[in-house]
Amino acid sequence: MDVGLVCDACSALTPIGVPQCTRCGASVALDPRPRVQTGRPAAATNDEPSTCGKCGTVVGPRQRFCPHCGNRIVVPVSFEVETRVGPRPSAVHAAVTTQPNDGRVRHDGRDSKPGRSTLFFGGAMQAARAKLTLIRGDGDDGVSFTLAGQDHYAGRGDCPISFPDDPFLSPIHANFVYASNHLVVRDESSLNGIYVRISNATELVNGAMVLVGEQVLSVERATQPEDVPDGEGTYYSASMVRPASLEIRQNLRGGQIGWVHRTAGDVVTIGRENNDINFPDDPFISGRHAELKLTGDMLSVTDLGSRNGTFVRVHGERILRHGDYVFLGQQLLRVEIV
């Protein structure tokens, strides 16, 4: 993983310890503080000769380019920078916090200790390969979370990505983790699961959960229930069970099952009106929103160009791509790969 500072002038990534941007030469150091010498040779400075890293020519003091090959001369300077991804949980909600030892005051979670910079959220992406941006209710971007470590837990509890006021999140709900050069979201045995927006026809496992608007639907291949008598030989009298290939169930808050739709056809459309299944009172569902299909033994779901998208619940873990949308509890997050 590349670690460095982003140049304010041209946005190029410059390694830690290099005070000038390797692309444009602008200064990128944050509060440089030379380290105390311990008997070892000090790092080269602008006042000392240096060696061209490309051709090996000795370059005089204060020369920024090699006179032989024209290569830019980068002079490393030792300094210390404290970086932190995400504020401490107490700092997220406190506008002003007083330090008990020395009386320094932090505003908006930023440490006021002189000589150091604390970097979090939108302020720095130096060590991150991805970030999550919260989508607000009005559709605009909210706060962003940089993913600069290995594990990034999200939930309602004390974790780096915390939404303490969301009652539909488990304390530790999900983990955004890097694995095999991919960003992966992993369900940490949450009650309500993780949903990812689909962009094309997506295969479903039997019993998969699909989020359409505000409707949580389970989809499975229909089976014919066995009609057997009780211990005294009496059969249960109710509606006749018709042959069906698909069964869609509506899951209600509190864990109850709403209506059950069984169809003999292999294709079921869902929307607000003129579909096989309609939700006229759901403001987040488009006129024709999604399509469920059974092809042989394979179940699939396709979004029909809806405005708010169709989401499928993650089973275990899933690789995330740039531009993916992840739904946790009541939080919608956009994935941005740096």
Side-chain angles (χ1 to χ4, degrees), residues 308-324:
N308 293 309
T310 301
F311 294 74
V312 174
R313 184 167 179 171
V314 172
H315 288 269
E317 62 182 34
R318 172 170 170 157
I319 294 175
L320 298 176
R321 309 293 184 186
H322 179 76
D324 278 347

Side-chain angles (χ1 to χ4, degrees), residues 132 147 149-155 159-161 172-178 183-190 194 314 316-318 320 326 328:
L132 303 175
L147 307 180
Q150 179 61 30
D151 295 275
H152 312 86
Y153 291 98
C159 49
I161 305 173
I172 301 296
H173 195 103
N175 186 14
F176 294 88
V177 59
Y178 293 112
L183 177 63
V184 173
V185 62
R186 182 179 301 154
D187 193 329
E188 295 293 328
S189 301
S190 66
I194 303 164
V314 172
E317 62 182 34
R318 172 170 170 157
L320 298 176
V326 180
L328 309 173

Side-chain angles (χ1 to χ4, degrees), residues 7-323:
C7 176
D8 291 334
C10 68
S11 299
L13 183 67
T14 302
I16 289 289
V18 179
Q20 293 91 20
C21 174
T22 56
R23 178 187 293 175
C24 68
S27 176
V28 293
L30 293 179
D31 300 327
R33 297 189 301 162
R35 294 192 179 124
V36 178
Q37 295 186 4
T38 58
R40 292 176 294 180
T45 68
N46 285 338
D47 297 324
E48 300 177 0
S50 57
T51 302
C52 175
K54 184 176 181 180
C55 68
T57 301
V58 176
V59 180
R62 300 185 180 278
Q63 286 188 269
R64 299 180 61 184
F65 298 91
C66 175
H68 179 72
C69 66
N71 183 48
R72 183 184 297 276
I73 304 302
V74 177
V75 181
V77 175
S78 297
F79 65 93
E80 295 179 358
V81 173
E82 176 189 18
T83 61
R84 176 164 57 84
V85 179
R88 299 180 182 89
S90 60
V92 175
H93 308 288
V96 177
T97 302
T98 301
Q99 301 293 339
N101 295 330
D102 55 9
R104 289 191 306 271
V105 176
R106 291 182 301 165
H107 296 272
D108 299 330
R110 297 181 184 272
D111 193 343
S112 61
K113 183 184 296 183
R116 294 191 178 187
S117 297
T118 302
L119 314 176
F120 61 90
F121 291 173
M125 291 287 293
Q126 287 84 358
R129 286 178 283 173
K131 73 174 182 177
L132 303 175
T133 299
L134 181 66
I135 307 301
R136 303 187 317 199
D138 56 7
D140 291 336
D141 290 354
V143 67
S144 292
F145 304 88
T146 60
L147 307 180
Q150 179 61 30
D151 295 275
H152 312 86
Y153 291 98
R156 193 182 73 248
D158 186 5
C159 49
I161 305 173
S162 182
F163 303 96
D165 298 326
D166 191 334
F168 301 107
L169 286 174
S170 298
I172 301 296
H173 195 103
N175 186 14
F176 294 88
V177 59
Y178 293 112
S180 301
N181 293 323
H182 293 288
L183 177 63
V184 173
V185 62
R186 182 179 301 154
D187 193 329
E188 295 293 328
S189 301
S190 66
L191 177 63
N192 294 309
I194 303 164
Y195 290 83
V196 176
R197 184 173 180 171
I198 64 173
S199 56
N200 45 37
T202 301
E203 184 176 352
L204 302 174
V205 299
N206 196 43
M209 308 286 283
V210 177
L211 178 63
V212 179
E214 293 183 316
Q215 310 303 317
V216 178
L217 310 175
S218 58
V219 184
E220 60 186 35
R221 293 184 293 274
T223 58
Q224 194 76 7
E226 187 177 0
D227 188 13
V228 295
D230 63 9
E232 297 179 342
T234 304
Y235 285 85
Y236 187 87
S237 178
S239 301
M240 293 293 294
V241 179
R242 305 298 180 185
S245 57
L246 276 173
E247 181 172 299
I248 299 98
R249 298 190 179 195
Q250 180 189 36
N251 295 269
L252 303 178
R253 287 190 178 181
Q256 301 297 315
I257 297 296
W259 54 255
V260 178
H261 181 88
R262 290 170 59 91
T263 177
D266 294 334
V267 178
V268 174
T269 58
I270 301 171
R272 196 171 56 247
E273 56 188 5
N274 299 324
N275 299 277
D276 299 309
I277 301 175
N278 297 297
F279 298 96
D281 299 325
D282 190 330
F284 300 101
I285 287 185
S286 299
R288 284 179 61 83
H289 196 109
E291 177 185 273
L292 300 170
K293 188 175 184 179
L294 178 64
T295 306
D297 290 332
M298 187 185 76
L299 284 169
S300 64
V301 60
T302 303
D303 186 83
L304 299 178
S306 68
R307 179 175 182 180
N308 293 309
T310 301
F311 294 74
V312 174
R313 184 167 179 171
V314 172
H315 288 269
E317 62 182 34
R318 172 170 170 157
I319 294 175
L320 298 176
R321 309 293 184 186
H322 179 76

